[in-house]
Amino acid sequence: MASEHHTNLPAGKIPQMRVVPMPHDSNMHGDVFGGWIMAQVDLAGAVCATRRANGRVVTIAVNSFLFKHPVFVGDLLSIYADIVKVGHTSITVNVECYAERNRLEVEIVKVTEATLTYVATSDDRKPRPLPPPITTTE
């Protein structure tokens, strides 16, 4: 695995989610299950996509998913999500997950990166067009 140890979290970015895995999220050795990490990544991506869609979205594809380093019980995970593509009904989101470990001498490790695609749906769960982007002027 490539070394990706950082001294800080990504500058100027706010995490979509922060979460700490607990013992029930891991195997008997304290390594967090990949499925648990995938669920957290999907949740963070969906938060981002839901805001852009201004409503309900569903995950239709996990385009890529890379576990770069293990996650351990007690790590503080900061999960970042950025929209990279918007279609008529779909939103593609890049998600990065960083673990803060060793609380006394903080070590930050990029543990996961993924790209997921969501589709905006109506109340009847059929695809619906995305609304125009909200622009703000100051």
Side-chain angles (χ1 to χ4, degrees), residues 1-10 13 37 66-71 75-80 82 94-101 107-114:
M1 288 183 219
S3 178
E4 288 212 28
H5 295 266
H6 302 270
T7 55
N8 295 304
L9 295 170
K13 294 178 75 175
I37 298 165
L66 180 62
F67 296 103
K68 300 174 80 64
H69 293 279
V71 174
D75 283 351
L76 174 59
L77 299 182
S78 296
I79 307 172
Y80 298 84
D82 295 295
N94 277 349
V95 181
E96 296 179 323
C97 184
Y98 292 82
E100 294 178 61
R101 47 183 63 135
E107 175 187 9
I108 298 173
V109 181
K110 184 177 185 181
V111 293
T112 305
E113 56 189 43

Side-chain angles (χ1 to χ4, degrees), residues 29-105:
H29 304 291
D31 300 322
V32 174
F33 296 123
W36 183 88
I37 298 165
M38 292 178 87
Q40 305 312 306
V41 165
D42 190 23
L43 286 168
V47 168
C48 184
T50 297
R51 285 190 182 126
R52 173 57 184 86
N54 195 27
R56 179 193 307 259
V57 298
V58 295
T59 309
I60 62 155
V62 176
N63 306 335
S64 67
F65 208 105
L66 180 62
F67 296 103
K68 300 174 80 64
H69 293 279
V71 174
F72 306 118
V73 168
D75 283 351
L76 174 59
L77 299 182
S78 296
I79 307 172
Y80 298 84
D82 295 295
I83 294 172
V84 294
K85 182 180 176 188
V86 175
H88 181 66
T89 62
S90 66
I91 303 163
T92 301
V93 180
N94 277 349
V95 181
E96 296 179 323
C97 184
Y98 292 82
E100 294 178 61
R101 47 183 63 135
N102 304 329
R103 298 285 194 269
L104 297 178
E105 296 178 31

